[in-house]
């Protein structure tokens, strides 16, 4: 995505998170002259060039006594396109936080003094004093938070001597990520994203430094396939509605490698033909282990598509064309294999 053209003249609630995750290195945003230039996940992608066009002609409504009202000082997106007295910085609007932490909302005061006190509606019962010289308001996000994505908060203000046009409130955006409990571990060495509450369509695992991990774009991953064999990992996910968010970092224990290489699996014939029977042979498993052995086959996107329980030393099945991965698990013993179907 490198160009967006819009005809609306006022930012509303319909663009919430609409460009979250869009590359910020290049792009052009074309909009009417009167649209306020604001950067962030709900507005214009950071770093994009803005081109202004003539405002659309709106027919006068005979039932509207004043089709051109004066700008509302409490609305940060005033119809005249002027810079609002109080705005949220793009950096804080784009910064996400996790449940149980504080969201830091940084404000900018344009031509007015900082209000004497503030109150976040739904959070504070009384007006609060500023904690420092920085224009930052900390909004606590509950551990039990159930709404994720962009949340809007209203902040009320009190002034010692309010100047003309000083707003008594402002609406701000806070991005709340999914909690770390969405990342789970099974069989000691398989880590996965719980997709039961939300229909995630894309996955990208991220290391503790915030770097995307190569070839780690499946719902299910083996810990041994992740850097450092254990550590702290998070996941970038895309919801079914197209919103991109993160799952907060989760600590994953390292795997005892000796338990993961005791046994093996082989596949024949090789190559495998689509929709024709092939065999998976389990090597090195004792009879007792085979009685309690489960075999799982995953698609290239990490979706579980086959499960075999209490298998013998050989499994026969068929698959459509594609790339797959498999795991055989018996107690603490596990082996993995790859399937390429022509």
């Amino acid at each position: 995505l490198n160009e967006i053209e819009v005809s609306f003249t006022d930012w509303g609630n319909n663009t919430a998170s609409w460009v979250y995750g869009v590359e910020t290195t290049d792009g052009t945003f074309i909009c009417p002259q009167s649209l306020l230039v604001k950067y962030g996940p709900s507005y214009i992608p950071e770093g994009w060039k803005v081109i202004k066009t003539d405002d659309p002609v709106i027919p006068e409504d005979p039932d509207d006594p004043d089709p051109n009202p004066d700008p509302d000082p409490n609305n940060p997106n005033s119809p005249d396109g002027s810079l609002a007295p109080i705005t949220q910085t793009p950096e804080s609007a784009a910064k996400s936080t996790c449940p149980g932490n504080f969201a830091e909302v940084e404000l900018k005061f344009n031509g007015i003094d900082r209000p004497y006190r503030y109150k976040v509606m739904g959070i504070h019962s009384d007006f609060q004093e500023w904690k420092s010289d920085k224009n930052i308001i900390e909004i606590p996000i509950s551990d039990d938070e159930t709404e994720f994505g962009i949340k809007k908060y209203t902040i009320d203000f009190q002034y010692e001597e309010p100047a003309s046009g000083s707003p008594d409130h402002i609406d701000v955006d806070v991005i709340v990520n999914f909690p770390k409990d969405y990342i789970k571990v099974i069989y000691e060495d398989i880590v996965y994203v719980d997709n039961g509450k939300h229909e995630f369509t894309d996955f990208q695992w991220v290391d503790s430094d915030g770097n995307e991990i190569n070839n780690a774009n499946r719902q299910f991953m083996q810990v041994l396939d992740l850097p450092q064999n254990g550590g702290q990992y998070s996941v970038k996910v895309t919801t079914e509605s197209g919103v991109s968010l993160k799952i907060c970092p989760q600590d994953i224990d390292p795997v005892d490698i000796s338990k993961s290489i005791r046994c093996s699996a082989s596949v024949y014939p090789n190559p495998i033909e689509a929709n024709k029977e092939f065999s998976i042979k389990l090597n090195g498993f004792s009879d007792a282990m085979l009685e309690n052995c489960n075999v799982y086959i995953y698609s290239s996107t990490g979706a579980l598509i086959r499960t075999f329980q209490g298998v013998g030393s050989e499994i026969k099945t068929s698959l459509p064309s594609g790339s797959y991965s498999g795991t055989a698990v018996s107690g603490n013993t596990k082996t993995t294999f790859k399937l390429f179907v022509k």
Side-chain angles (χ1 to χ4, degrees), residues 35-233:
L35 182 65
L36 181 65
V37 175
K38 295 181 67 175
Y39 292 93
S42 299
Y43 305 103
I44 304 171
E46 292 285 347
W48 277 33
K49 178 175 67 175
V50 176
I51 297 178
K52 293 281 191 172
T53 60
D54 293 335
D55 285 359
V57 177
I58 302 175
E60 292 187 6
D61 184 354
D63 297 326
D64 187 349
D66 187 4
N68 297 300
D70 292 331
D72 177 5
N74 292 328
N75 180 3
N77 308 307
S78 298
D80 66 353
S82 61
L83 192 61
I86 304 178
T87 57
Q88 181 182 10
T89 64
E91 293 78 13
S92 74
K95 188 177 180 180
S96 60
T97 191
C98 294
N101 294 333
F102 287 91
E104 292 188 345
V105 175
E106 184 177 17
L107 302 179
K108 185 177 181 181
F109 303 100
N110 309 300
I112 66 170
D113 293 332
R114 187 172 74 174
Y116 174 53
R117 296 191 298 179
Y118 66 88
K119 177 171 64 175
V120 181
M121 302 303 294
I123 301 293
H124 302 132
S125 56
D126 299 313
F127 279 88
Q128 308 291 307
E129 305 284 348
W130 295 89
K131 294 184 178 180
S132 70
D133 293 335
K134 295 182 179 180
N135 301 324
I136 292 177
I137 294 175
E138 292 185 337
I139 299 179
I141 307 300
S142 171
D143 276 323
D144 301 324
E145 180 63 62
T146 58
E147 297 181 17
F148 309 108
I150 292 184
K151 295 192 64 177
K152 290 189 176 293
Y153 291 88
T154 298
I155 303 174
D156 284 355
F157 299 109
Q158 279 187 344
Y159 299 85
E160 290 184 306
E161 295 182 2
S164 175
S166 297
D168 57 17
H169 72 272
I170 184 177
D171 293 331
V172 298
D173 293 338
V174 170
I175 301 175
V176 181
N177 290 324
F178 293 99
K180 66 179 182 179
D181 294 342
Y182 278 60
I183 299 177
K184 299 182 181 296
V185 177
I186 54 174
Y187 307 122
E188 297 185 3
D189 61 352
I190 298 178
V191 62
Y192 72 100
V193 174
D194 184 354
N195 210 9
K197 298 179 182 178
H198 299 271
E199 292 297 329
F200 301 131
T201 58
D202 292 293
F203 309 86
Q204 176 59 61
W205 293 78
V206 179
D207 64 22
S208 58
D209 295 324
N211 300 315
E212 295 184 358
I213 302 171
N214 291 334
N215 301 317
N217 53 6
R218 304 187 301 275
Q219 179 184 358
F220 290 80
M221 294 294 299
Q222 294 183 33
V223 177
L224 290 175
D225 290 337
L226 299 174
Q228 302 174 351
N229 180 19
Q232 191 176 78
Y233 305 99

